[in-house]
Amino acid sequence: MQGTGYFTHSACRRHEMGRGHPECPERLDAIDDRLLLTGVADALLQRQAPEAPLADLELAHDRMFVASIRGLSEQVAEEQLAGGPDHLQIDPDTAVNASTWSAALRSAGAAIAATDAVLAGEMENAFCAVRPPGHHACRRQAMGFCFFNNVAVAAKYALERHGLERVAIVDFDVHHGNGTEDIVAGDERILMVSFFQHPFYPYSGADQPAANLVNLPVPAYTRGTAVRELIDTHWMPRLEAFRPQMIFISAGFDAHREDDMGQLGLVEADYAWITRRIKDVAQRHAQGRIVSALEGGYHLDALARSVEAHIRVLADL
Ligand SMILES: [Zn+2]
């Protein structure tokens, strides 16, 4: 079992939340361009993301909520035919357009298909270059640019459909993954470890609500060296003791120093270091099995460089 998969789909570029929105299709273009330019793309197993089956989305989400996202997306498409607006705001940060439903299905479908491919031994690990992102999506609520929780869906899928007993979720986005926490808190088959800027959107996570969560709130202007120490002190012993059979990564790159969405000071070398730590755990306990899915990262150049650094470690390049 070797090689790194790269799952994406053109539908992920057709979801848009309005002119100037930071969670924009150009994010995926920047990543693709960088991977092509550097030759990294040539070393990856390129795969088209399928649409997630509804029954699998419903492992993490309420059925009526899933139907409501479809309904809103269809409503925008219908109203556009009569001259209506091209997107519909569902909160101040998050909007649906006519392509949101299909993009969200491909996003979650990428994480599911990557899970299948890794567990089938077709590849050692995989990165999903997808949008919309997922880690703010709760069981019954879309928020913070997220609709379906791609990583939580895939983690539940690995447990329920593949019969794994223990999986870990690692979230290194600058924001707290409140949606993932909403879905996995109290599920002892899942260990979730994260750090995030605090106090900061979505203003949750500092209160350690369940024993299967390792939440590390860090103040603004924390540098990568300090984050690395926290990871070695707090994540690693828990991950080692848990012995996950597979690891999922909520790979947000908005803790980068150049990313104005947050105020943390990580750089490419920090993302490579964190990925190495995760990979070490995966190789000791999980036959190397990792599925990583894109979350945040809004400075296009810093995002592309950071994803490259992340993938180079995953793929041993
Ligand atoms: Zn974020």
Side-chain angles (χ1 to χ4, degrees):
M1 170 171 34
Q2 55 185 359
T4 294
Y6 185 79
F7 289 75
T8 191
H9 194 277
S10 56
C12 293
R13 288 174 167 74
R14 293 195 283 274
H15 160 67
E16 291 194 62
M17 296 192 285
R19 191 190 303 267
H21 197 293
E23 206 291 278
C24 59
E26 288 77 13
R27 299 176 62 232
L28 297 184
D29 296 334
I31 292 169
D32 268 356
D33 287 352
R34 179 84 194 177
L35 297 179
L36 283 168
L37 180 76
T38 55
V40 169
D42 296 331
L44 304 176
L45 304 164
Q46 308 272 348
R47 297 285 188 276
Q48 290 288 305
E51 292 192 340
L54 299 191
D56 295 333
L57 285 180
E58 290 165 8
L59 295 171
H61 293 287
D62 181 80
R63 176 171 295 184
M64 293 304 288
F65 163 72
V66 173
S68 76
I69 300 300
R70 175 182 222 155
L72 288 169
S73 207
E74 289 175 353
Q75 182 187 335
V76 175
E78 187 70 25
E79 291 180 0
Q80 264 188 293
L81 295 173
D86 58 12
H87 62 276
L88 182 68
Q89 216 62 41
I90 62 172
D91 74 18
D93 305 317
T94 311
V96 169
N97 80 349
S99 299
T100 298
W101 170 248
S102 66
L105 289 184
R106 299 283 180 181
S107 255
I112 290 170
T115 300
D116 283 337
V118 167
L119 284 168
E122 292 170 30
M123 51 188 67
E124 182 182 17
N125 55 42
F127 181 76
C128 303
V130 293
R131 53 183 296 280
H135 77 150
H136 296 304
C138 301
R139 186 170 284 280
R140 297 181 181 81
Q141 189 185 349
M143 60 180 281
F145 316 164
C146 301
F147 297 87
F148 302 137
N149 197 312
N150 309 316
V151 161
V153 167
K156 293 273 189 183
Y157 177 85
L159 296 168
E160 302 293 339
R161 305 283 194 249
H162 284 282
L164 297 192
E165 294 169 348
R166 296 178 311 282
V167 301
I169 296 174
V170 177
D171 187 330
F172 56 70
D173 191 276
V174 77
H175 302 97
H176 174 234
N178 63 303
T180 314
E181 183 168 297
D182 178 54
I183 293 163
V184 312
D187 185 338
E188 298 296 336
R189 302 171 301 171
I190 302 174
L191 174 67
M192 180 182 180
V193 302
S194 71
F195 71 85
F196 47 89
Q197 184 178 329
H198 186 82
F200 193 48
Y201 183 89
Y203 305 99
S204 53
D207 47 357
Q208 306 287 349
N212 67 321
L213 309 171
V214 179
N215 288 354
L216 302 179
V218 299
Y221 309 113
T222 299
R223 294 176 60 195
T225 47
V227 169
R228 293 187 196 195
E229 283 181 28
L230 286 169
I231 286 173
D232 272 344
T233 307
H234 298 280
W235 284 9
M236 297 307 287
R238 287 293 299 273
L239 286 167
E240 286 296 333
F242 187 69
R243 296 181 297 116
Q245 296 165 298
M246 186 160 180
I247 300 179
F248 295 88
I249 304 177
S250 269
F253 298 91
D254 41 7
H256 194 285
R257 183 192 294 168
E258 293 170 42
D259 198 311
D260 293 334
M261 188 70 81
Q263 287 80 39
L264 296 187
L266 275 65
V267 294
E268 290 85 325
D270 296 310
Y271 290 114
W273 183 92
I274 295 170
T275 309
R276 182 74 250 169
R277 278 290 192 270
I278 299 167
K279 192 168 175 178
D280 287 345
V281 175
Q283 287 178 331
R284 276 195 291 275
H285 301 291
Q287 300 167 49
R289 298 187 290 219
I290 296 171
V291 169
S292 176
L294 181 66
E295 301 282 2
Y298 304 98
H299 182 294
L300 296 183
D301 201 48
L303 168 65
R305 284 185 269 116
S306 300
V307 169
E308 181 199 346
H310 177 58
I311 289 179
R312 279 188 183 278
V313 175
L314 289 178
D316 285 321
L317 297 174

